[in-house]
């Protein structure tokens, strides 16, 4: 016999919290798209895609100048 159980949660953020959640999601999307562009550029030049650690280091260097938030 298999028993399935699920839980459902709902967030009820305040306006300030909602704004912070939206900003956080936007920042994550920006970083993801930046990494995707870097990988596509490497593939376009027929180079190996950087590892996750290399991308992380590249992102940290990039965001200091171009992503001041």
């Amino acid at each position: 016999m298999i028993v399935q159980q699920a839980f459902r949660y709902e967030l009820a953020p305040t306006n300030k919290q909602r704004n912070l959640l939206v900003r956080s999601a936007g920042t994550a999307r920006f970083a993801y798209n930046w990494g995707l562009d870097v990988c596509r550029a490497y593939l376009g030049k027929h180079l190996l895609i950087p590892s996750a650690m290399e991308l992380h280091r590249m992102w940290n260097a990039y965001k200091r100048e171009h992503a001041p938030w």
Side-chain angles (χ1 to χ4, degrees):
M1 181 170 142
I2 297 176
V3 177
Q4 293 182 349
Q5 183 176 2
F7 296 94
R8 186 173 176 173
Y9 297 96
E10 181 177 336
L11 297 176
T14 64
N15 285 335
K16 183 178 179 181
Q17 291 170 332
R18 185 177 292 117
N19 185 26
L20 292 172
L21 288 169
V22 168
R23 289 175 60 189
S24 179
T27 301
R29 182 175 179 155
F30 181 87
Y32 176 84
N33 287 336
W34 174 86
L36 184 60
D37 289 342
V38 168
C39 289
R40 286 181 175 168
Y42 271 68
L43 286 174
K45 295 176 184 176
H46 302 289
L47 299 173
L48 291 176
I49 295 174
S51 69
M53 186 61 72
E54 290 169 344
L55 278 173
H56 187 73
R57 287 186 188 120
M58 292 166 64
W59 168 245
N60 283 334
Y62 176 84
K63 74 178 180 180
R64 287 187 187 104
E65 286 187 33
H66 301 95
W69 63 83

